[in-house]
Amino acid sequence: MPGLLRGVARTAVIAGTATSVSNRVSRRQAGRWARQDAEQAQAQQAQAAPPPPAPASLAPEDEMSNKIAQLKELGDLKSQGVLSESEFEAQKARILAP
């Protein structure tokens, strides 16, 4: 009988360890997927909300100061990591286009 109890106890320990490891792996994967989803959502928001275009009826001085303000805002977004280098360059080219 002691051999049987030892076998049952050993099986219980192994099963408990396997369950613990499995749960830890599942939590780690869920955390990674949540971070990836958040990063994708942030990237989609950055692409969906480009800076507003400058109104065409401004005086030349006002238009230039508006472009400068937009470029500063773009620079801030890039330094915060909201915009990638390619997104920054595309928006900068759009603002500076004649």
Side-chain angles (χ1 to χ4, degrees):
M1 197 65 156
L4 180 62
L5 287 177
R6 184 179 300 156
V8 169
R10 185 175 182 190
T11 301
V13 168
I14 291 171
T17 303
T19 301
S20 175
V21 170
S22 174
N23 288 340
R24 191 173 339 142
V25 169
S26 294
R27 282 192 305 270
R28 191 177 305 157
Q29 285 177 340
R32 286 181 185 159
W33 292 336
R35 281 193 304 273
Q36 287 175 351
D37 289 344
E39 290 171 359
Q40 288 176 353
Q42 186 179 19
Q44 289 175 351
Q45 285 177 349
Q47 291 176 352
S57 63
L58 292 178
E61 311 84 43
D62 293 337
E63 187 176 340
M64 183 57 70
S65 62
N66 192 17
K67 285 183 179 185
I68 291 171
Q70 286 180 342
L71 289 171
K72 285 181 182 178
E73 184 179 343
L74 273 178
D76 290 342
L77 291 173
K78 182 180 173 228
S79 65
Q80 293 171 4
V82 175
L83 293 177
S84 67
E85 182 67 32
S86 61
E87 292 170 333
F88 173 76
E89 291 298 327
Q91 292 299 325
K92 184 174 81 170
R94 185 188 60 79
I95 292 170
L96 295 176

